[in-house]
């Protein structure tokens, strides 16, 4: 499974928010869209998933135009986790995670053996087994975020697209999420993330696309990003550094 965008432009009203951007995400890799708020990261991701109109260019999700796919067909190809998903109703963690099986024809109250296995595995990966019966509206923001990530995992789609997956998380929680995403790529999934967190991109991404004002300034491995592009994308002078095998972003 791969996601491919070629010379894609997106207009929102009279404003061009994505300008002739090309992007490819393949199985087994993590690609990060990095940039400040308003750089166009979310619009580009949504365009790739068929959730935002494309003014120009071509998009293929698993070899098909996502805009021509049904909602179920898209969900079988890609699991999308938007920014700060909400679940404030009194639903249990397990039932929320089980919603990821809808695309496979299952509902939380009628899970087959394969569906239950996917839910159990997602709960385990996100360290939520002990909280499976807890109500979502009683959990902290960090635990809610892990539950939503588990829902996306339970969908078992070959592509995961996550918009700011570590926003609002403490450092330990953010590190846990980054480890889950890296593991998913090693297991053969394609992973696309939007983030303004240069540290997250440095830790988990195989490739980073630096966006500014709807255009790609640089595309490459995290440790090879040009300082000038980093500065434009982050708003501060920055450089990549590696300490004991861990990539870090250092700001002046």
């Amino acid at each position: 499974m791969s996601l491919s965008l070629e010379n894609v432009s997106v207009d929102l009203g009279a404003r061009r928010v994505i300008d002739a951007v090309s992007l490819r995400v393949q199985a087994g890799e993590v690609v990060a869209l990095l940039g400040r708020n308003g750089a166009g990261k979310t619009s580009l991701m949504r365009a790739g998933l068929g959730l935002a109109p494309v003014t120009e260019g071509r998009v293929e999700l698993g070899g098909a135009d996502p805009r021509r796919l049904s909602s179920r067909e898209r969900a079988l190809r890609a699991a999308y986790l938007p920014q700060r998903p909400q679940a404030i109703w009194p639903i249990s963690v397990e039932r929320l995670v089980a919603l990821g099986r809808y695309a496979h024809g299952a509902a939380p109250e009628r899970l087959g053996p394969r569906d239950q296995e996917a839910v159990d595995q997602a709960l385990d990966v996100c360290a939520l087994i002990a909280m499976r019966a807890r109500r979502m509206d009683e959990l902290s923001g960090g635990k809610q975020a892990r539950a939503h990530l588990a829902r996306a995992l339970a969908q078992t789609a070959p592509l995961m697209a996550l918009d700011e997956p570590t926003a609002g998380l403490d450092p330990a929680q953010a590190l846990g999420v980054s480890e889950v995403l890296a593991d998913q790529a090693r297991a053969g999934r394609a992973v696309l993330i939007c983030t303004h967190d240069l540290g997250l991109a440095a830790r988990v991404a195989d490739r980073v696309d630096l966006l500014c004002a709807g255009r790609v300034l640089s595309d490459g491995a995290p440790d090879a990003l040009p300082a000038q592009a980093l500065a434009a994308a982050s708003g501060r002078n920055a450089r990549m550094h590696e300490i004991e095998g861990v990539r870090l972003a250092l700001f002046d």
Side-chain angles (χ1 to χ4, degrees):
M1 172 66 69
S2 65
L3 172 65
S4 176
L5 297 87
E6 295 184 14
N7 295 316
V8 165
S9 295
V10 175
D11 294 340
L12 295 181
R15 187 166 65 97
R16 176 146 293 191
V17 295
I18 299 295
D19 189 8
V21 170
S22 294
L23 171 73
R24 187 170 180 84
V25 188
Q26 301 187 82
E29 70 173 348
V30 180
V31 175
L33 303 178
L34 181 67
R36 287 183 281 181
N37 292 336
K41 305 182 301 295
T42 296
S43 295
L44 183 62
M45 175 179 281
R46 288 178 58 83
L49 299 175
L51 302 175
V54 173
T55 307
E56 298 172 0
R58 187 176 69 177
V59 180
E60 287 190 357
L61 175 61
D65 185 337
R67 295 166 295 181
R68 299 182 181 274
L69 299 174
S70 67
S71 297
R72 179 177 183 272
E73 289 172 326
R74 283 200 304 268
L76 289 172
R77 285 171 164 81
Y80 173 51
L81 188 61
Q83 292 185 45
R84 299 180 179 85
Q86 299 295 313
I88 58 174
W89 62 95
I91 185 175
S92 72
V93 169
E94 182 169 9
R95 285 179 69 85
L96 177 86
V97 175
L99 293 175
R101 301 304 297 171
Y102 263 124
H104 299 269
E109 64 275 8
R110 58 172 191 277
L111 296 180
R114 184 174 295 180
D115 303 306
Q116 189 64 59
E117 180 182 3
V119 170
D120 290 344
Q121 185 175 22
L123 289 167
D124 184 36
V125 166
C126 293
L128 292 168
I129 290 290
M131 287 177 276
R132 65 194 308 157
R134 293 277 304 276
R135 282 175 27 171
M136 286 292 296
D137 57 343
E138 296 175 344
L139 298 182
S140 67
K143 291 184 176 69
Q144 286 187 8
R146 278 161 46 200
H148 284 291
L149 176 59
R151 176 184 56 77
L153 291 172
Q155 199 169 320
T156 61
L159 169 71
M160 295 186 69
L162 307 101
D163 196 350
E164 301 288 0
T166 59
L169 301 185
D170 64 36
Q173 293 168 337
L175 182 59
V177 168
S178 69
E179 290 171 347
V180 169
L181 299 182
D183 287 344
Q184 293 305 305
R186 283 191 288 267
R189 277 179 166 166
V191 180
L192 176 65
I193 60 173
C194 290
T195 184
H196 59 263
D197 184 345
L198 186 53
L200 172 66
R203 284 194 305 271
V204 72
D206 299 293
R207 203 172 76 251
V208 174
D209 278 39
L210 291 169
L211 270 70
C212 184
R215 295 188 177 188
V216 174
L217 301 180
S218 178
D219 174 19
D223 54 2
L225 296 174
Q228 185 176 6
L230 280 170
S234 65
R236 297 290 298 271
N237 291 331
R239 63 190 185 279
M240 304 306 300
H241 194 64
E242 187 168 312
I243 300 176
E244 297 183 356
V246 178
R247 297 180 188 136
L248 299 172
L250 301 180
F251 294 89
D252 294 339

